């Protein structure tokens, strides 16, 4: 199929972008790796595509005040190859699993967050790290915690008149370790189940804080505090039954995904704990 007819504009400032979105019938185009297939299948029929590629203010990529700030036009491949990304180890762990290299060369980080696919890696990373997503609209700018930004499958807390302008990931703290794992039919496919973990330990190696985010298992990334069950296999099994509520399909039943989740959770929590203790020593 081919897209339905649409107008195309390429504003040079954020104010002009917001003016084009004011009617509510426009759609932001950044990398286009998610949007263009949606248009081609006519699952979306915006009146206007608002290309933000010329807005220089949206190209920030820097570490400042304990945060890695990634602007809305930053390509995934640029972040993947940036030395600044080392400040957030989970990005380096997750990025090779985001589609394929060619897609990452065009796709943007914020575009993936705005698309909010429940099986996508970057929304899960943002949720696990408690990242902050910056949104601009007619009423000004606002900052939304990642845990509140994803409200459903392909649905976020941003309105049709707003645009995601940046995401801020907190840099890793001392004594912090991370884990990332997913199972997919082929590399680059959407995950049947995936897990992102973050563990922080004290000077004595005891677990102070542990978070786990599952993706591909529900309508949104699902985050839980797992500080008390880091190495409790039975409790992780109970957690799998709680958070994995996606229906079965031709690639795997709900039960199969729960088993995947439990195995991934145990493995990636153990990996994060080892990395945290190694960092402390």
């Amino acid at each position: 199929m081919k897209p339905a007819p649409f107008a195309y504009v390429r504003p040079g400032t954020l104010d002009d972008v917001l003016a084009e979105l004011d009617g509510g019938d426009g759609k932001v185009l950044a990398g286009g790796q998610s949007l263009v297939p949606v248009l081609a299948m006519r699952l979306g029929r915006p009146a206007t595509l608002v290309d933000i590629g010329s807005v220089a203010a949206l190209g920030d990529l820097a570490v400042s005040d304990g945060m890695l700030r990634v602007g809305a036009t930053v390509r995934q491949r640029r972040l993947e190859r940036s030395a600044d990304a080392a400040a957030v180890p989970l990005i380096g762990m997750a990025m090779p699993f985001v589609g394929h290299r060619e897609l990452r060369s065009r796709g943007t980080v914020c575009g993936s967050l705005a698309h909010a696919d429940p099986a996508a890696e970057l929304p899960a990373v943002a949720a696990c790290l408690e990242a902050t997503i910056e949104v601009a609209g007619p009423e000004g700018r606002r900052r939304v915690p990642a845990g509140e930004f994803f409200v459903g499958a392909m649905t976020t807390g941003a309105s049709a008149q707003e645009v995601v302008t940046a995401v801020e990931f907190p840099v890793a703290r001392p004594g912090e370790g991370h884990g990332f794992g997913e199972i997919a039919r082929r590399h680059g496919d959407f995950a049947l189940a995936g897990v992102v973990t973050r563990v922080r330990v004290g000077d004595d190696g005891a677990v102070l804080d542990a978070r786990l985010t599952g993706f591909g298992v529900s309508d949104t990334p699902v985050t839980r505090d797992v500080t008390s069950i880091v190495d409790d296999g039975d409790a992780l099994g109970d957690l799998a039954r709680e958070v994995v509520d996606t229906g079965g399909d031709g690639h795997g039943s709900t039960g199969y995904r729960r088993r995947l989740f439990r195995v991934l959770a145990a493995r990636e929590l153990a990996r994060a704990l080892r990395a945290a203790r190694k960092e402390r020593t």
Side-chain angles (χ1 to χ4, degrees):
M1 296 180 68
K2 301 296 182 184
F6 58 83
Y8 171 85
V9 293
R10 190 178 173 92
T13 68
L14 181 58
D15 287 342
D16 289 341
V17 169
L18 296 177
E20 294 290 347
L21 295 174
D22 186 52
D25 56 358
K27 193 71 174 177
V28 173
L29 173 68
Q33 300 306 293
S34 299
L35 177 59
V36 171
V38 168
L39 297 178
M41 291 184 285
R42 298 205 174 189
L43 298 175
R45 294 172 178 243
T48 305
L49 286 192
V50 184
D51 188 339
I52 62 174
S54 291
V55 183
L58 300 181
D60 293 347
L61 177 58
V63 174
S64 178
D65 298 326
M67 292 287 180
L68 171 63
R69 181 178 176 84
V70 183
T73 59
V74 174
R75 311 287 185 190
Q76 295 162 3
R77 186 69 169 159
R78 178 185 168 195
L79 176 62
E80 182 180 10
R81 302 176 70 178
S82 169
D84 289 325
V88 185
L90 260 178
I91 288 177
M93 300 174 76
M95 199 63 77
F97 292 89
V98 179
H100 301 281
R101 181 181 61 188
E102 292 77 10
L103 298 181
R104 297 195 298 275
S105 295
R106 292 294 303 170
T108 63
V109 176
C110 290
S112 178
L113 301 180
H115 188 56
D117 192 298
E121 295 81 4
L122 291 177
V125 169
C128 186
L129 293 178
E130 300 175 273
T132 300
I133 298 168
E134 186 181 276
V135 179
E139 305 302 320
R141 298 197 183 206
R142 58 192 181 97
R143 295 166 60 81
V144 186
E148 301 174 11
F149 184 73
F150 308 107
V151 299
M154 313 291 189
T155 307
T156 72
S159 74
Q161 294 176 301
E162 292 181 310
V163 58
V164 174
T165 55
V167 58
E168 292 184 347
F169 297 97
V171 303
R173 294 182 289 177
E176 196 169 280
H178 307 86
F180 178 93
E182 69 173 47
I183 300 294
R185 294 179 64 220
R186 294 176 298 269
H187 180 75
D189 282 4
F190 287 113
L192 298 175
V195 166
V196 183
T197 60
R198 184 187 71 185
V199 176
R200 186 166 57 89
V201 302
D203 292 336
D204 60 354
V207 176
L208 300 178
D209 177 63
R211 287 169 61 88
L212 178 151
T213 299
F215 60 100
V217 297
S218 190
D219 285 346
T220 64
V222 183
T223 303
R224 294 290 185 272
D225 184 327
V226 292
T227 306
S228 62
I229 60 171
V230 167
D231 55 359
D232 187 337
D234 291 336
L236 291 176
D238 293 338
L239 181 65
R241 286 187 287 274
E242 175 198 345
V243 303
V244 181
D245 60 14
T246 185
D249 56 27
H251 305 309
S253 65
T254 302
Y256 175 62
R257 284 181 162 89
R258 285 174 176 163
R259 291 193 291 275
L260 291 180
F261 178 90
R262 178 178 178 175
V263 171
L264 288 170
R267 187 184 76 187
E268 300 309 323
L269 281 170
R271 178 188 297 188
L273 181 57
R274 288 195 303 270
R277 287 172 172 165
K278 181 179 180 181
E279 200 281 333
R280 270 297 184 195
T281 58

